[in-house]
Amino acid sequence: VQLQASGGGLVEPGGSLRLSCAASGSIYRINTMGWYRQAPGEQRELVAAITSGGSANYADSVKGRFTISRDNAKNTVYLHMNSLKPEDTAVYYCKTVGTNGYGYPYQYWGQGTQVTVSS
């Protein structure tokens, strides 16, 4: 399974960005797709995740500002980020958790995309 993330960049405080992450390869069945982030010197943390049925959960720090969505037909997950703050600056990673054709679980990480919020 390969994950291709895109959409990061430099944005001013209060601005918006949309991240995308497309899964390809021997997917078989994807259960949960999510976004994590890691700032310099910090541990990687969950930002948001969404199940195949559309149930989503968010970190408290992004509730009301970020929205996660997915297109199951395209095996793609999106993260819509609004009202961005400097503390949102981090490398954002997508992650997918699923089941392969033999019934075994798997998880894969994307390569990361930099989000910088600065004036």
Side-chain angles (χ1 to χ4, degrees):
V1 177
Q2 295 80 43
L3 298 178
Q4 183 65 48
S6 62
L10 173 64
V11 63
E12 293 186 348
S16 300
L17 282 175
R18 188 186 79 159
L19 306 182
S20 300
C21 179
S24 62
S26 302
I27 298 170
Y28 191 70
R29 182 167 66 190
I30 296 176
N31 298 320
T32 301
M33 303 186 81
W35 289 96
Y36 291 70
R37 67 186 181 187
Q38 188 168 20
E42 301 291 333
Q43 289 190 340
R44 191 171 298 187
E45 62 176 0
L46 173 69
V47 177
I50 186 168
T51 68
S52 57
S55 296
N57 64 287
Y58 298 89
D60 287 343
S61 59
V62 306
K63 283 181 180 177
R65 300 188 297 121
F66 292 10
T67 302
I68 190 169
S69 63
R70 65 188 280 177
D71 184 333
N72 291 331
K74 297 180 178 180
N75 296 314
T76 299
V77 62
Y78 305 95
L79 186 67
H80 305 261
M81 304 184 292
N82 297 318
S83 303
L84 282 161
K85 304 175 180 179
E87 51 263 43
D88 294 317
T89 296
V91 177
Y92 284 68
Y93 298 90
C94 61
K95 176 183 174 183
T96 183
V97 177
T99 307
N100 66 20
Y102 299 97
Y104 293 103
Y106 63 75
Q107 63 177 31
Y108 290 95
W109 291 90
Q111 81 280 13
T113 184
Q114 177 71 45
V115 172
T116 302
V117 185
S118 175
S119 55

